[in-house]
Amino acid sequence: MKIDLSRGRAVASHLVLPTDTNPLGALFGGRAAQWMDIAAGLAAIRLSGHPAVTASIERLDFQVPIRWGEIAVVEAEVVSVGRTSMTVQVNMFREEPSTGERQLCTRGLFHMVALGADGTPTPVFRVQPVKGGGARKRKPRG
């Protein structure tokens, strides 16, 4: 069964301020990871309709620095779904405010887990019984 992942997206923009940067004027890697993690969580929440937490970050590749005064644009998209987990591809771009020119700077894979009201992992999708036994997946909650 094909699952529509189009709801599992999030985009955020952040103006990089001096307090977000190291002594060289580049965005702290930890701040970039924080912004990316938040976007990954929002994409997972939108898809599943449940709170979601970070289980792991597979890797972060920092390719180009983002300088203070530039805009950090974070784009997150759920790319695969397990029973209670979602994998979210997150890309961060630097954007020059005066021209709108963008360049990919950082990318990473975030593994998120949907949580139920009791704080334990819960299925991302509802499963509805089908006549004759078995089950079928229904659209995401939310």
Side-chain angles (χ1 to χ4, degrees):
M1 172 182 204
K2 200 164 194 161
I3 299 171
D4 179 12
L5 300 179
S6 64
R7 286 180 45 113
R9 293 187 177 143
V11 177
S13 298
H14 304 270
L15 177 62
V16 177
L17 301 172
T19 55
D20 299 319
T21 64
N22 63 27
L24 300 176
L27 180 65
F28 283 120
R31 182 79 57 166
Q34 175 188 20
W35 291 344
M36 293 172 79
D37 189 37
I38 291 168
L42 289 173
I45 290 166
R46 284 181 170 162
L47 181 70
S48 69
H50 291 284
V53 295
T54 307
S56 68
I57 300 170
E58 195 164 313
R59 71 183 290 159
L60 284 179
D61 294 316
F62 296 94
Q63 300 164 355
V64 177
I66 302 175
R67 305 280 177 201
W68 76 270
E70 294 180 329
I71 299 168
V73 179
V74 184
E75 297 179 353
E77 181 177 11
V78 176
V79 294
S80 68
V81 176
R83 192 176 79 77
T84 63
S85 65
M86 295 156 277
T87 300
V88 184
Q89 173 69 53
V90 184
N91 295 321
M92 181 178 275
F93 300 86
R94 63 168 287 284
E95 182 178 300
E96 173 56 48
S98 61
T99 65
E101 179 184 338
R102 281 190 184 182
Q103 182 179 15
L104 178 65
C105 295
T106 308
R107 61 185 324 165
L109 280 177
F110 290 70
H111 300 283
M112 313 301 288
V113 174
L115 298 180
D118 63 355
T120 62
T122 192
V124 174
F125 294 98
R126 288 181 283 211
V127 177
Q128 176 183 6
V130 177
K131 289 183 182 177
R136 68 175 178 195
K137 286 186 180 177
R138 292 189 62 186
K139 64 183 182 178
R141 295 177 182 167

